[in-house]
Amino acid sequence: MSPETKHTVDVLLKEAGTNDCDVADRKLSSLTELGLNDKQISDIKPLASLTNLTELGLNDNQIGDIKPLASLTNLTRLSLSGNPLAPKTCPLSPESICKWEPPAEP
């Protein structure tokens, strides 16, 4: 496992509140919303199995490739502002699911 993948797994374990991967997988797999903003994540492959997610926040990380999220077909909102993404191509349909810019201030 690469250091980048391990970091993402560690963040997910912390989010699940356990060090047991099986327990974390069950807990995280049932989530519909997940916020992983500003966690220094660069490898998002470990998120590909979280197919129940409808909202995913990944703002202010180090993500360069979002293709691994193509399996998250239930997503209705994917927040990606503050990542070094190029090109900004959304792997999901409709592409309006992907939000590249931070929300406007009220």
Side-chain angles (χ1 to χ4, degrees):
M1 180 183 309
S2 74
E4 293 83 6
T5 303
K6 182 179 183 326
H7 174 71
T8 304
V9 170
D10 289 345
V11 168
L12 289 170
L13 287 171
K14 187 173 182 180
E15 195 70 27
T18 182
N19 285 323
D20 185 316
C21 285
D22 291 330
V23 172
D25 188 47
R26 283 194 298 277
K27 190 179 262 189
L28 294 168
S29 292
S30 67
L31 293 178
T32 57
E33 296 180 10
L34 183 60
L36 298 175
N37 300 317
D38 199 21
K39 303 285 187 186
Q40 301 303 309
I41 292 171
S42 60
D43 183 348
I44 55 173
K45 289 183 203 85
L47 304 178
S49 64
L50 306 180
T51 55
N52 284 325
L53 289 177
T54 58
E55 293 191 24
L56 178 57
L58 294 170
N59 298 320
D60 303 314
N61 282 291
Q62 303 300 315
I63 299 164
D65 178 17
I66 58 172
K67 288 187 205 85
L69 300 181
S71 60
L72 304 184
T73 55
N74 289 319
L75 280 180
T76 57
R77 182 173 181 85
L78 174 59
S79 300
L80 296 159
S81 68
N83 283 287
L85 289 161
K88 288 182 166 65
T89 306
C90 186
L92 303 162
S93 183
E95 283 197 23
S96 61
I97 290 169
C98 295
K99 308 295 182 202
W100 311 109
E101 301 303 323
E105 294 294 325

